[in-house]
Amino acid sequence: MKAVYSPLHARHDGGMELHRGELVPCFEMPSRADYIRDAVTAAGHGLTAPRDFGLAPILALHDAGLVEFLRSAFDQWKAVGKDGFMLPSGFAARSMRQDVIPPGVNGKLGYYAFDAGTPIVEGTWDAAYASAQCALTAAALVAEGERAAYALCRPPGHHAAKAAYGGYCFLNNAALAAQYLRDQGRATVAVLDVDYHHGNGTQDIFYDRADVLTVSVHGTPETEYPFFRGFADETGTGAGVGFNRNFPLPRGTDWDSYRGVLDTALRVVADFKPDALVIALGVDTYENDPISAFKLKAEHYPLIGAAIARLGLPTVFTQEGGYAVAEIGTNVAAVLTGFEQGQ
Ligand code: FKS
Ligand code: ZN
């Protein structure tokens, strides 16, 4: 399948993130995309550049204030004499006002961010915008008749909510792909998120809608990031009740326990009878991932791809997480190859 890739991803090189009480070099680093690009190319998936769909699809899903902040954040940072990378130092948590958007850049950081692990640098907007265009382009390829397409999105997207960014994510690439397919006449679309972390942003964006089913299989928020979303009792609101499903799993989950839950999640998707599918593809479920705690092995990624293919749906893959950098490319390529061989 075609792999949509932009070298602009490299403009986002975050520097340091706050991780378990320490500032450490970002796990979400540019070389991730280089490894993936090389491995998917070697596996025979031809690279293609993104088209430019502009800001309209982004503004259709994300709050205009968030988008404007992401666009201008680093300029505001420079205007107060700063350089390097931006992290928030105070959040609009319980007891704090949500209805006042702070005028200053440090206040805005804490207003729009939900963690201190997602630095913004000078090139972040360019990279996030290009990443979103990669997802939209992959969706367009599928809308135009390809069975499947892969968007090599970096930065990732599934934590980015309507009006908040975090978890290394700024714009929700998977949600943009799903909405694009809706806009091209697919009446119903499912998003299945197999990243190690709960896809809280995608859930947020579609939480009150019945036309886009969101399903996520992930490390339990009892112990895992993003901690405050991803529980099984989050099933949707209003018209969306029943159209969000979460499958939290404990640390240490291996393939034998994972496969049955993946099958259940795939059955939920199949029962919805969607016209198209978006897979939020993280390979941080891998046993050697430095920030995650599942125990999947390289041999399991083709099986995931084949199981997804058996749904028989037009499918867009968006790249999400995976931090065992040297193995990330082969694991991603294995999913895509498994999909093609399993279809
Ligand atoms: C800060 C605390 C924990 C956040 C983990 C983010 C995981 C991101 C991801 C994505 F797909 F979005 F990239 N870090 N150090 O893997 O879900
Ligand atoms: Zn993840």
Side-chain angles (χ1 to χ4, degrees):
M1 70 185 76
K2 285 185 179 147
V4 190
Y5 169 80
S6 166
L8 292 177
H9 78 82
R11 293 202 193 167
H12 177 65
D13 191 350
M16 309 287 274
E17 65 172 82
L18 194 58
H19 178 69
R20 301 174 192 167
E22 275 181 285
L23 264 186
V24 302
C26 288
F27 291 96
E28 202 293 287
M29 59 184 77
S31 61
R32 296 178 58 248
D34 301 335
Y35 278 102
I36 298 171
R37 178 200 59 206
D38 292 350
V40 299
T41 310
H45 307 286
L47 293 186
T48 182
R51 306 175 205 165
D52 188 356
F53 295 86
L55 270 181
I58 295 168
L59 289 168
L61 295 186
H62 286 290
D63 174 77
L66 169 67
V67 173
E68 185 48 36
F69 177 65
L70 293 173
R71 271 160 66 89
S72 62
F74 203 81
D75 287 341
Q76 295 180 49
W77 188 245
K78 281 200 294 207
V80 296
K82 305 275 292 184
D83 202 357
F85 59 91
M86 310 172 65
L87 287 178
S89 36
F91 297 100
R94 287 168 312 288
S95 89
M96 299 301 201
R97 288 182 68 160
Q98 311 272 326
D99 62 323
V100 182
I101 302 179
V105 63
N106 284 293
K108 278 207 180 69
L109 269 174
Y111 182 80
Y112 286 115
F114 60 81
D115 68 28
T118 311
I120 292 175
V121 297
E122 182 137 42
T124 296
W125 171 257
D126 288 350
Y129 181 86
S131 188
Q133 302 302 330
C134 286
L136 289 162
T137 303
L141 289 169
V142 168
E144 289 156 11
E146 301 269 353
R147 164 72 203 279
Y150 169 72
L152 206 175
C153 295
R154 181 183 174 273
H158 73 148
H159 295 300
K162 274 179 198 147
Y165 77 94
Y168 314 152
C169 300
F170 303 95
L171 301 172
N172 196 310
N173 306 310
L176 289 163
Q179 185 62 46
Y180 186 90
L181 290 161
R182 284 285 298 104
D183 293 342
Q184 294 303 308
R186 311 291 164 135
T188 54
V189 178
V191 183
L192 173 62
D193 190 320
V194 296
D195 185 274
Y196 178 78
H197 303 93
H198 174 241
N200 63 287
T202 322
Q203 168 172 313
D204 174 64
I205 287 169
F206 296 118
Y207 207 56
D208 61 357
R209 288 172 52 172
D211 58 328
V212 179
L213 172 75
T214 45
V215 182
S216 183
V217 181
H218 49 266
T220 175
E222 291 171 298
T223 55
E224 305 309 290
Y225 186 89
F227 305 120
F228 313 110
R229 280 288 175 203
F231 296 91
D233 65 352
E234 299 162 17
T235 56
T237 187
V241 169
F243 298 96
N244 185 80
R245 292 288 302 275
N246 287 326
F247 295 92
L249 295 169
R251 292 174 68 85
T253 293
D254 64 6
W255 176 250
D256 281 344
S257 319
Y258 185 88
R259 63 189 303 178
V261 178
L262 178 65
D263 282 345
T264 304
L266 289 165
R267 206 166 321 117
V268 169
V269 171
D271 289 347
F272 181 63
K273 298 190 170 55
D275 297 316
L277 175 65
V278 177
I279 300 292
L281 176 60
V283 292
D284 41 8
T285 47
Y286 182 54
E287 57 179 348
N288 295 333
D289 195 273
I291 64 169
S292 308
F294 285 176
K295 298 276 172 246
L296 270 52
K297 297 178 186 298
E299 71 212 58
H300 301 131
Y301 289 98
L303 305 178
I304 293 175
I308 293 167
R310 283 196 291 273
L311 289 170
L313 293 166
T315 301
V316 176
F317 293 87
T318 61
Q319 183 61 46
E320 306 292 347
Y323 309 97
V325 175
E327 294 105 316
I328 180 178
T330 47
N331 288 339
V332 168
V335 173
L336 304 185
T337 302
F339 179 95
E340 288 189 336
Q341 290 174 353
Q343 67 188 347

